[in-house]
Amino acid sequence: MAEISTIARPYAVAAFKLAKEQKALAKWSEMLGFATAVLSDAQMKAFVQDPNVVSSDLEATFLKVCGDKLNTNGQNLIKTLVEYGRLSILPAVTSAFEELKAQDEGTLDAQIIAAAKPSAAEIKDLVKKLEAKFGKKIEATVSVDEEIIGGIKIIVGDTVIDASVKGQLQNLAYSLSA
């Protein structure tokens, strides 16, 4: 996977620079997301991986399926990926593009893990506090994990805030064994 992201990064950087230049980051994000969704379709995946399909047919079919969801620059990216036999790395290109976009926009992804589903007001309050702490806009995804017993665990980038009962018990056990 590291090798794929190394190959995908230059494509993502080029797309990002072009999108930034054109002030079209959201449009590019939408295009890449759509093209990745098309590629992840089972029939399309089988078609792309079929060694009997020539690249010109692959390019034409893929672009036809995408239709007007891709502008000229988006189509050119797909053509380039097909030409170099790298259409399969499109999800990695999309992921790298989204990372660059998030960094540029000053957005951080936060994973909030709770023992029970928090209310919308609790999530909103927590996101505000995280934005104040990190000084950036926070995009939060919430999941429920009953194994943490109670409380909450928050992961923002490399930072982990563990206020779960399970985490506290593990810290206590560690302290007692030391």
Side-chain angles (χ1 to χ4, degrees):
M1 185 66 183
E3 185 179 321
I4 289 176
S5 62
T6 303
I7 295 169
R9 188 149 183 82
Y11 293 100
V13 168
F16 176 78
K17 285 181 179 176
L18 183 61
K20 183 103 170 123
E21 218 174 81
Q22 298 174 338
K23 296 181 180 13
L25 288 172
K27 176 65 178 166
W28 268 91
S29 188
E30 187 181 305
M31 286 190 306
L32 288 170
F34 183 80
T36 299
V38 168
L39 183 62
S40 66
D41 176 74
Q43 288 180 311
M44 182 57 78
K45 197 176 277 188
F47 184 71
V48 168
Q49 293 171 347
D50 186 344
N52 298 322
V53 175
V54 293
S55 61
S56 59
D57 290 344
L58 174 58
E59 178 186 306
T61 302
F62 195 87
L63 291 176
K64 187 173 183 180
V65 171
C66 288
D68 63 353
K69 296 285 187 181
L70 300 180
N71 65 18
T72 305
N73 293 318
Q75 291 174 2
N76 287 340
L77 175 64
I78 298 301
K79 289 175 183 177
T80 302
L81 290 173
V82 169
E83 181 182 343
Y84 291 102
R86 294 191 167 154
L87 188 59
S88 62
I89 68 163
L90 183 59
V93 172
T94 302
S95 178
F97 177 88
E98 291 301 331
E99 284 177 24
L100 291 166
K101 181 176 172 250
Q103 286 173 359
D104 182 66
E105 293 173 343
T107 304
L108 292 173
D109 288 327
Q111 185 180 2
I112 300 171
I113 305 162
K117 179 123 176 85
S119 70
E122 290 171 326
I123 294 169
K124 187 176 178 182
D125 185 48
L126 189 56
V127 167
K128 275 187 182 176
K129 289 178 181 174
L130 289 170
E131 287 175 344
K133 177 177 174 60
F134 290 98
K136 293 189 175 191
K137 184 171 174 11
I138 299 289
E139 294 289 329
T141 55
V142 180
S143 60
V144 175
D145 182 1
E146 294 171 0
E147 286 187 20
I148 66 171
I149 305 169
I152 198 162
K153 184 176 181 179
I154 303 166
I155 303 168
V156 181
D158 295 335
T159 305
V160 177
I161 303 167
D162 192 348
S164 67
V165 173
K166 182 178 181 180
Q168 301 302 322
L169 290 172
Q170 287 173 336
N171 287 341
L172 179 62
Y174 179 75
S175 297
L176 291 173
S177 67

